[in-house]
Amino acid sequence: MKIQDDISQFNPNDSVIEISHLQKSFNGLHVLKDLSLKVHRGENVVVLGKSGIGKSVLIKCIVGLIQPDNGSLKVFGKEISDMTLKELNLLRTKVGFIFQGNALYDSMTVRENLEFPLRRNKVLKDPHEIEVLIEEALRDVNLLDTINKMPSELSGGMKKRIGVARTLILKPEIILYDEPTTGLDPLTSREISKLILQIQTKFKTSSIIITHDLNCAKITSNRLLILQDGIFRAEGSFDDLKNSDDEWVRSYFKIE
């Protein structure tokens, strides 16, 4: 069965992402020791943890940028490790990835940055249809007036929004956010967090949000997991974990 058939026949009541006993090491260092996680359709799952403990490794495994050592990782019910390169590339059009550094092309205008994934994935060829999608994506992030600007002319928050718009243009069903508020001032961080929530509501996306920003976690999460020493040490709603009987868990919430 082809990957497009798997996605079209996928039961919406199932988990869009299902991870079982995932492990990953680098040069003998166990970054992910034994991770299991299910993400349901329409759910925002926040993975909270300190910098450098493997949060980004997790979501890079989901899109096949990093190959896990052991364990099962299914997206739309299909095992990532069983996919051909062609199937994996098709899956990536359904799974948007918001990079921490935005990954905009400095030599391209905003329009060209948004046009690139459409042409690369051969989604559309008609110039008018492409322009309609670009303008629609920019309206979704309230930045239509930047369409002819260069990335160097944009603020950090605007670059984040353009990165989101470039992902939205392919209409993904899953979005993976890698530290979406890093490097932003508190006000802009809050705006980006609210944008993530708006996208979930409007497009019914399922998301994993990697962050160490408690305010972002509070605003965006339906469910929160804390990653520590290669395993998930705690899981629940923001308020449940903040008021946990476990002193170690509560220690994560002392500064908001």
Side-chain angles (χ1 to χ4, degrees):
M1 185 180 290
K2 296 180 179 179
I3 182 64
Q4 54 262 48
D5 295 327
D6 288 331
I7 294 172
S8 63
Q9 296 179 18
F10 181 75
N11 187 334
N13 295 320
D14 292 338
S15 302
V16 293
I17 298 173
E18 187 169 351
I19 300 169
S20 300
H21 306 295
L22 197 70
Q23 300 177 10
K24 182 62 185 178
S25 299
F26 295 97
N27 300 319
L29 177 64
H30 297 288
V31 177
L32 305 179
K33 293 181 180 178
D34 187 8
L35 291 189
S36 295
L37 169 66
K38 291 183 179 181
V39 179
H40 304 290
R41 188 174 294 280
E43 181 182 32
N44 275 356
V45 174
V46 167
V47 177
L48 186 68
K50 297 178 181 179
S51 298
I53 63 169
K55 302 189 303 296
S56 296
V57 172
L58 169 62
I59 57 174
K60 287 178 180 178
C61 286
I62 292 172
V63 290
L65 294 176
I66 293 177
Q67 182 70 33
D69 299 328
N70 290 293
S72 172
L73 203 168
K74 295 180 180 179
V75 180
F76 300 119
K78 186 171 178 64
E79 189 73 44
I80 291 291
S81 61
D82 293 340
M83 292 185 185
T84 65
L85 180 59
K86 183 177 180 180
E87 290 175 325
L88 191 57
N89 285 333
L90 179 60
L91 177 75
R92 287 168 179 161
T93 67
K94 301 291 184 180
V95 182
F97 197 112
I98 310 293
F99 290 92
Q100 182 174 339
N102 307 310
L104 298 179
Y105 295 102
D106 293 336
S107 60
M108 294 182 180
T109 64
V110 168
R111 175 188 275 107
E112 291 167 338
N113 265 282
L114 270 64
E115 182 181 3
F116 182 79
L118 294 174
R119 294 197 179 280
R120 181 185 180 190
N121 292 287
K122 300 179 181 178
V123 175
L124 289 173
K125 293 183 179 180
D126 181 77
H128 175 69
E129 290 183 277
I130 289 173
E131 188 71 10
V132 168
L133 280 181
I134 290 172
E135 292 184 4
E136 178 185 341
L138 288 174
R139 285 193 187 94
D140 285 330
V141 299
N142 199 29
L143 283 178
L144 181 58
D145 59 343
T146 68
I147 192 167
N148 293 314
K149 292 183 180 295
M150 302 296 291
S152 59
E153 299 177 81
L154 307 177
S155 68
M158 293 167 76
K159 289 178 183 178
K160 289 282 186 183
R161 287 178 176 270
I162 297 301
V164 171
R166 189 176 60 180
T167 295
L168 288 177
I169 206 163
L170 291 178
K171 311 294 184 184
E173 297 181 41
I174 297 171
I175 301 180
L176 308 175
Y177 296 88
D178 189 7
E179 300 283 4
T181 61
T182 291
L184 303 178
D185 63 82
L187 180 60
T188 305
S189 295
R190 186 173 181 83
E191 290 174 350
I192 294 298
S193 299
K194 287 183 175 180
L195 175 62
I196 292 171
L197 209 56
Q198 291 166 9
I199 289 168
Q200 177 196 24
T201 301
K202 181 174 181 178
F203 298 103
K204 312 301 180 187
T205 53
S206 310
S207 298
I208 296 179
I209 301 152
I210 300 298
T211 188
H212 60 270
D213 179 346
L214 280 178
N215 287 321
C216 176
K218 183 176 183 179
I219 291 169
T220 63
S221 63
N222 299 121
R223 184 157 50 103
L224 182 66
L225 295 98
I226 299 178
L227 180 62
Q228 178 72 16
D229 296 328
I231 63 171
F232 287 128
R233 287 281 303 272
E235 177 180 352
S237 70
F238 186 94
D239 288 338
D240 286 343
L241 296 189
K242 182 180 178 181
N243 299 308
S244 171
D245 293 334
D246 187 325
E247 184 178 350
W248 179 87
V249 173
R250 289 200 312 274
S251 71
Y252 264 79
F253 299 85
K254 288 182 178 178
I255 300 175
E256 289 194 45

